């Protein structure tokens, strides 16, 4: 089976360096908040062009801690996209706030700034844009609205490490940028991990406090926090991979070009790029009314595919109490019905891409 992402191929490529890095951590026997986390934080802040980065336990926690640091709590509203992974809206609700959805643009899979402003109320505290599938959201539009209404912006960059908007890395536009290092992401570790990026020293201090039980000095606690630290083994692995991230993202872009070159099926709409954004193709996602037939044909030919995401968040059972109905967000609902993501990882070969496209081109 050709998988969506082949983690073994990448490991074999990096094996000598990764094994050495992990072995070093085991030898030094410092596992929590040691030198690798501190160095990774500096290296990622420098790579992204931000002043601070704080390693945390997952991308979900990165979002949760960032919203907490924005003061989001009971009764507040946070505006986000319904076409994303559950974590984006889950963290809003976990803090007692209300997720308020605004539809995506028809062609980018990302939140449409023109749909955001009509959702702003006196209780709105923040906006969470998601750079879905690796394509930067319309940050000028979003920051404009946030500025006019005094709202915080927390970027969900879980799928977009290294993506750029107007030549600047995503994660550095909002008050906080939140990344995930889940094994399938563009920059990934061998377990759970995440990082929060911020350009504000006080904000960085707050995230550091929250990730470690509200404590600055051991056994002295200033506020209620979390056990949410990135561990040393994951940080050591990430430091090896960070050196190669530009190469990995360039390979993803090259693979996307090959998909564009070889897909010849009139029912398939290829993913858009934008003038301001540099896509890093966490996923290569197309739209087709024949989506289910394409998925079946790929499966018959031993090729994996995936539907991200089959149910938009406003129609999820967990959010039924919010009172949304089918038809509320037509662009998100259409994407949920027609989107299919194809195998995408840096080590994918041209031969494999041709094989995928050949199957798709024969679906009528
Ligand atoms: C993966 C992902 C998350 C959550 O990251 P975890 O590290 O799995 O907690 C959040 N938002 C989006 C858009 C994601 O793809």
């Amino acid at each position: 089976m050709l998988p969506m992402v082949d983690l073994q191929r990448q490991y074999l490529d990096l094996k000598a360096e990764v094994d050495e890095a992990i072995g070093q951590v085991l030898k030094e026997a410092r596992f929590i908040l040691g030198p690798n986390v501190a160095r990774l934080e500096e290296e990622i802040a420098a790579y992204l062009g931000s002043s601070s980065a704080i390693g945390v336990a997952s991308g979900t926690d990165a979002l949760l801690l960032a919203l907490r640091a924005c003061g989001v709590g009971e009764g507040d509203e946070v505006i986000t996209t319904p076409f994303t992974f559950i974590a984006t809206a889950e963290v809003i609700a976990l803090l007692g706030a209300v997720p308020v959805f605004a539809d995506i643009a028809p062609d980018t899979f990302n939140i449409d700034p023109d749909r955001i402003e009509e959702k702003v109320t006196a209780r709105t505290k923040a906006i969470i844009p998601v750079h879905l599938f690796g394509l930067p959201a319309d940050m000028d539009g979003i920051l404009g609205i946030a500025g006019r209404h005094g709202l915080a912006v927390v970027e969900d960059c879980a799928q977009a490490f290294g993506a750029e908007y107007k030549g600047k890395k995503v994660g550095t536009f909002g008050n906080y940028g939140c990344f995930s290092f889940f094994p399938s992401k563009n920059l990934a570790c061998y377990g759970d991990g995440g990082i929060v990026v911020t350009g504000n020293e006080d904000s960085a201090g707050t995230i550091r406090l929250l990730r470690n039980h509200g404590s600055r000095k051991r056994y002295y606690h200033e506020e209620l926090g979390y056990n949410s630290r990135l561990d040393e083994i994951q940080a050591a692995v990430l430091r090896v991979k960070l050196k190669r991230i530009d190469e990995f993202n360039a390979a993803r872009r090259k693979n996307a070009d090959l998909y564009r070159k070889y897909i010849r099926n009139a029912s398939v709409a290829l993913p858009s790029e934008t003038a301001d954004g540099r896509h890093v193709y966490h996923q290569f996602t197309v739209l087709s009314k024949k989506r289910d037939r394409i998925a079946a044909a790929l499966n018959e030919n031993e090729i994996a595919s995936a539907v991200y995401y089959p149910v938009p968040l406003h129609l999820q059972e967990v959010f039924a109490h919010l009172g949304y109905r089918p038809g509320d967000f037509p662009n998100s609902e259409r994407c949920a019905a027609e989107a299919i993501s194809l195998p995408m990882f840096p080590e994918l070969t041209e031969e494999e891409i041709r094989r995928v496209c050949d199957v798709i081109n024969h679906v009528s």
Side-chain angles (χ1 to χ4, degrees), residues 42-50 161-162 164 169 242 245-246 249:
E42 288 167 16
E43 289 160 5
I44 284 186
Y47 176 84
L48 296 175
S50 184
F161 195 97
E164 292 175 3
K169 296 280 192 297
L242 180 63
I245 189 65
D246 285 343
N249 281 339

Side-chain angles (χ1 to χ4, degrees), residues 64-304:
L64 183 73
L65 270 57
L67 287 184
R68 263 282 302 270
C70 290
V72 169
E74 211 67 47
D76 292 330
E77 294 174 358
V78 177
I79 299 171
T80 193
T81 163
F83 196 64
T84 177
F85 181 57
I86 182 70
T88 314
E90 192 177 34
V91 293
I92 300 169
L94 282 171
L95 290 172
V98 182
V100 173
F101 297 113
D103 206 3
I104 56 173
D107 54 346
T108 63
F109 300 115
N110 284 329
I111 195 165
D112 182 349
D114 291 341
R115 300 272 80 82
I116 294 177
E117 201 143 24
E118 63 206 38
K119 301 283 179 172
V120 175
T121 73
R123 287 188 301 241
T124 309
K125 262 272 172 61
I127 305 171
I128 310 182
V130 181
H131 308 296
L132 201 73
F133 302 147
L135 179 68
D138 178 351
M139 291 313 296
D140 278 351
I142 292 161
L143 292 169
I145 295 163
R148 280 197 292 285
H149 299 277
L151 308 176
V153 173
V154 174
E155 297 176 67
D156 182 339
C157 309
Q159 302 188 2
F161 195 97
E164 292 175 3
Y165 181 80
K166 295 193 167 174
K168 208 175 133 193
K169 296 280 192 297
V170 300
T172 61
F173 291 89
N175 302 71
Y176 299 92
C178 301
F179 293 84
S180 164
F181 302 131
F182 185 82
S184 64
K185 311 288 184 179
N186 286 34
L187 178 64
C189 57
Y190 296 130
D192 279 307
I195 207 160
V196 180
V197 170
T198 174
N200 179 295
E201 282 300 311
D202 290 343
S203 302
T206 304
I207 300 288
R208 282 185 201 286
L209 206 64
L210 289 173
R211 79 166 166 186
N212 198 22
H213 300 291
S215 166
R216 227 177 287 266
K217 185 173 160 200
R218 204 162 204 193
Y219 305 126
Y220 291 78
H221 304 276
E222 300 170 30
E223 58 180 300
L224 292 177
Y226 305 85
N227 172 352
S228 184
R229 294 151 320 208
L230 180 65
D231 74 70
E232 280 289 302
I233 291 180
Q234 303 307 340
V237 169
L238 288 162
R239 291 185 64 206
V240 171
K241 293 200 190 183
L242 180 63
K243 288 189 266 178
R244 305 276 297 273
I245 189 65
D246 285 343
E247 182 193 322
F248 293 152
N249 281 339
R252 287 173 181 275
R253 288 184 55 81
K254 181 170 149 271
N255 292 341
D257 286 344
L258 291 171
Y259 271 124
R260 289 179 193 284
K261 179 170 161 196
Y262 293 124
I263 291 177
R264 291 279 170 270
N265 182 322
S267 85
V268 172
L270 297 169
S272 303
E273 294 211 354
T274 59
D276 295 329
R278 187 168 189 279
H279 204 319
V280 290
Y281 292 99
H282 172 62
Q283 298 294 341
F284 190 85
T285 304
V286 302
L287 295 174
S288 173
K289 292 207 161 33
K290 298 175 182 164
R291 190 261 308 272
D292 294 342
R293 263 143 69 194
I294 291 173
L298 289 170
N299 188 50
E300 271 165 35
N301 286 276
E302 300 279 304
I303 296 166

Side-chain angles (χ1 to χ4, degrees), residues 4 283 285 291 304-308 339-343:
M4 289 297 289
Q283 298 294 341
T285 304
R291 190 261 308 272
S305 66
V307 173
Y308 304 124
I340 179 167
S341 299
L342 306 176

